[in-house]
């Protein structure tokens, strides 16, 4: 998420780098190394360093980046955004200023905040950044009235979904989606990360012959259940290699069908407790793939940070055909979640819409 570029007095790039992996050298160190490997080490004293996040000033997985910048003799540092971590608190900027380095803060700040939002959210709230994803027809359906849903999107769209899975820490679905779709939830081909498959299942009812259980050697499986889970279900899934985590549940209002006035009350694992648990496990990015009840619970609680929608080239109609987000929903349009920073991509005829929820730029 963090990148750095070194330029000379004529704004010619002499080195660049980015934070490639957790525990590895930070962007500033990579940029300085790159400059030296290009034979530009003697030009660092006249260089300006542009970096999207304030250089760190503490010992963590790596030594402080401020020390590396000071030792390199960089003349000026331009910072996109300050580090939101409590242990930073502007200390990196202060350390560089104390060393006589010229500092500028806030260049392209909005873009820098957007890029580093997952890190900033987990650091400031303890919860991971949440991406909501679904595929639907042009008339807003995720399945036909009989429940047929494979496939609404095309192969190009599904390839992008696999890319997203390959860079997140967890993929979350509900028990009904796990039962009806029998997904594996793995990234194919594999990405830089192996996401934990998370099923929100209040009674741990995932079948032993499901793809999730049968592929347990390819990716971890975490069943998040409620306090009333039968012990036999827990033992069965643990014996198969899954982890079962018991959390609290909450009642969720399901939006009624248009033909009735009833509101269904459904018990789900509490999404807030789930995100707090995943945050404690060090997860930064999680993907919620559905179904409608789970996405509805996250939307009702304003827990979605970013949205990816794939519009398949189909119209199915039908009052009973499900939509991607159920839950209770908002009462007025003024209460609706607003989206911003919209990106549109056409994938062999499908449309990929990507946006962030307004106010969620951490």
């Amino acid at each position: 998420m963090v990148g750095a570029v070194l330029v000379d007095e004529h704004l010619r790039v002499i080195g660049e780098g980015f934070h490639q992996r957790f525990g590895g050298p930070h962007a500033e160190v990579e940029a300085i190394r790159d400059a030296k490997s290009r034979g530009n080490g003697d030009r660092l004293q006249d260089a300006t360093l542009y970096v999207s996040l304030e250089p760190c000033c503490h010992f963590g997985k790596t030594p402080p980046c401020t020390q590396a910048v000071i030792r390199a003799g960089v003349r000026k540092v331009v910072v996109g955004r300050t580090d939101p971590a409590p242990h930073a608190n502007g200390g990196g900027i202060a350390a560089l200023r104390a060393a006589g380095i010229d500092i500028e803060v806030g260049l392209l700040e909005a873009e820098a905040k957007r890029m580093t939002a997952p890190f900033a959210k987990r650091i400031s709230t303890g919860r991971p950044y949440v991406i909501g994803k679904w595929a639907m027809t042009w008339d807003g359906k995720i399945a036909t009235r009989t429940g047929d849903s494979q496939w609404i999107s095309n192969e190009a769209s599904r390839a992008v979904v696999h890319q997203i899975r390959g860079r997140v820490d967890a993929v979350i679905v509900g028990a009904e989606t796990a039962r009806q779709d029998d997904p594996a939830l793995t990234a194919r081909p594999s990405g830089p990360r192996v996401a934990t498959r998370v099923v929100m299942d209040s009674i741990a009812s995932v079948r032993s012959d499901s793809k999730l259980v049968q592929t347990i050697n390819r990716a971890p499986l975490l069943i998040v259940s409620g306090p009333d889970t039968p012990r036999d279900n827990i033992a069965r899934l643990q014996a198969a290699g899954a982890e079962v985590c018991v959390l609290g549940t909450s009642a969720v209002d399901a939006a009624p069908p248009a033909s009735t006035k009833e509101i269904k009350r459904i018990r789900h694992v509490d999404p807030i407790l789930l995100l707090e648990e995943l945050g404690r496990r060090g997860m930064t990015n999680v993907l919620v793939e559905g179904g409608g009840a789970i996405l509805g619970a996250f939307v009702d609680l304003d827990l979605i940070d970013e949205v990816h929608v794939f519009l398949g080239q189909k119209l199915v109609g039908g009052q009973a055909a499900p939509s991607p987000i159920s839950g209770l929903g908002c009462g007025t349009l003024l209460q609706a979640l607003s989206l911003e920073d919209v990106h549109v991509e056409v994938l062999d005829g499908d449309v990929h819409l990507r946006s962030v929820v307004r106010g969620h730029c951490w």
Side-chain angles (χ1 to χ4, degrees):
M1 299 177 191
V2 181
V5 177
L6 283 158
V7 301
D8 64 15
E9 63 270 26
H10 303 293
L11 295 182
R12 293 176 299 202
V13 174
I14 63 172
E16 58 188 331
F18 65 96
H19 187 199
Q20 299 183 32
R21 62 179 179 84
F22 179 68
H26 288 184
E28 302 92 326
V29 173
E30 292 281 13
I32 292 169
R33 287 179 179 177
D34 184 52
K36 292 178 179 179
S37 71
R38 297 186 190 193
N40 294 324
D42 58 343
R43 302 168 67 187
L44 288 173
Q45 292 186 358
D46 294 320
T48 297
L49 172 69
Y50 291 85
V51 61
S52 52
L53 181 70
E54 173 187 353
C56 66
C57 60
H58 66 285
F59 282 89
K61 296 289 183 182
T62 62
C65 291
T66 50
Q67 291 184 3
V69 173
I70 293 168
R71 283 197 304 269
V74 172
R75 177 180 62 85
K76 181 178 180 179
V77 176
V78 179
V79 176
R81 72 167 297 175
T82 56
D83 189 336
H87 57 258
N89 195 28
I93 292 170
L96 295 175
R97 281 203 175 113
I101 296 174
D102 186 14
I103 299 291
E104 180 181 333
V105 181
L107 179 66
L108 299 177
E109 184 177 29
E111 291 85 347
K113 283 186 174 181
R114 188 77 70 214
M115 182 178 294
T116 56
F119 158 75
K121 183 185 178 185
R122 191 168 75 84
I123 263 314
S124 59
T125 70
R127 301 175 188 171
Y129 186 81
V130 181
I131 303 168
K133 166 264 165 185
W134 61 88
M136 68 182 185
T137 62
W138 275 64
D139 55 335
K141 307 297 184 180
I142 60 172
T144 68
R145 59 181 173 79
T146 63
D148 185 23
S149 62
Q150 296 184 350
W151 294 101
I152 286 176
S153 58
N154 62 24
E155 290 187 8
S157 292
R158 297 197 294 276
V160 173
V161 172
H162 284 289
Q163 290 173 10
I164 298 172
R165 287 180 183 172
R167 65 174 180 82
V168 298
D169 300 303
V171 179
I172 302 170
V173 297
E176 191 65 13
T177 295
R179 183 184 68 81
Q180 288 190 356
D181 295 350
D182 192 22
L185 300 180
T186 53
R188 302 181 295 277
S190 59
R193 298 183 182 181
V194 178
T196 297
R197 286 91 51 83
V198 179
V199 183
M200 296 175 65
D201 184 348
S202 60
I203 58 171
S205 62
V206 174
R207 300 191 316 268
S208 298
D209 62 350
S210 67
K211 289 179 183 176
L212 288 167
V213 175
Q214 294 302 310
T215 58
I216 210 156
N217 61 327
R218 295 178 55 189
L221 176 60
L222 174 64
I223 311 298
V224 185
S225 65
D228 297 327
T229 302
R231 292 184 179 180
D232 288 348
N233 284 357
I234 295 176
R236 171 178 59 82
L237 289 167
Q238 288 177 335
E243 180 184 357
V244 180
C245 177
V246 177
L247 297 176
T249 58
S250 58
V252 178
D253 290 319
S259 58
T260 75
K261 294 183 179 180
E262 298 178 358
I263 293 181
K264 295 191 297 181
R265 301 282 290 180
I266 303 173
R267 295 205 69 81
H268 285 300
V269 172
D270 190 317
I272 294 177
L273 295 180
L274 171 60
L275 292 181
E276 290 174 347
E277 174 64 25
L278 298 183
R280 282 192 292 270
R281 292 168 181 250
M283 296 187 182
T284 301
N285 290 275
V286 300
L287 175 66
V288 181
E289 291 206 14
I294 296 300
L295 281 164
F298 274 80
V299 169
D300 283 345
L301 293 170
D302 193 13
L303 298 176
I304 300 288
D305 300 298
E306 181 174 318
V307 176
H308 289 253
V309 179
F310 296 85
L311 287 178
Q313 304 167 74
K314 295 177 177 68
L315 298 171
V316 302
Q319 183 174 323
S323 62
I325 300 175
S326 56
L328 180 61
C330 59
T332 69
L333 286 176
L334 289 176
Q335 298 170 323
L337 300 184
S338 296
L339 304 177
E340 61 185 6
D341 193 21
V342 176
H343 297 264
V344 181
E345 180 183 17
V346 178
L347 302 169
D348 289 349
D350 280 6
V351 180
H352 175 202
L353 303 172
R354 174 168 58 90
S355 184
V356 294
V357 177
R358 182 166 293 157
H360 283 227
C361 187
W362 301 94

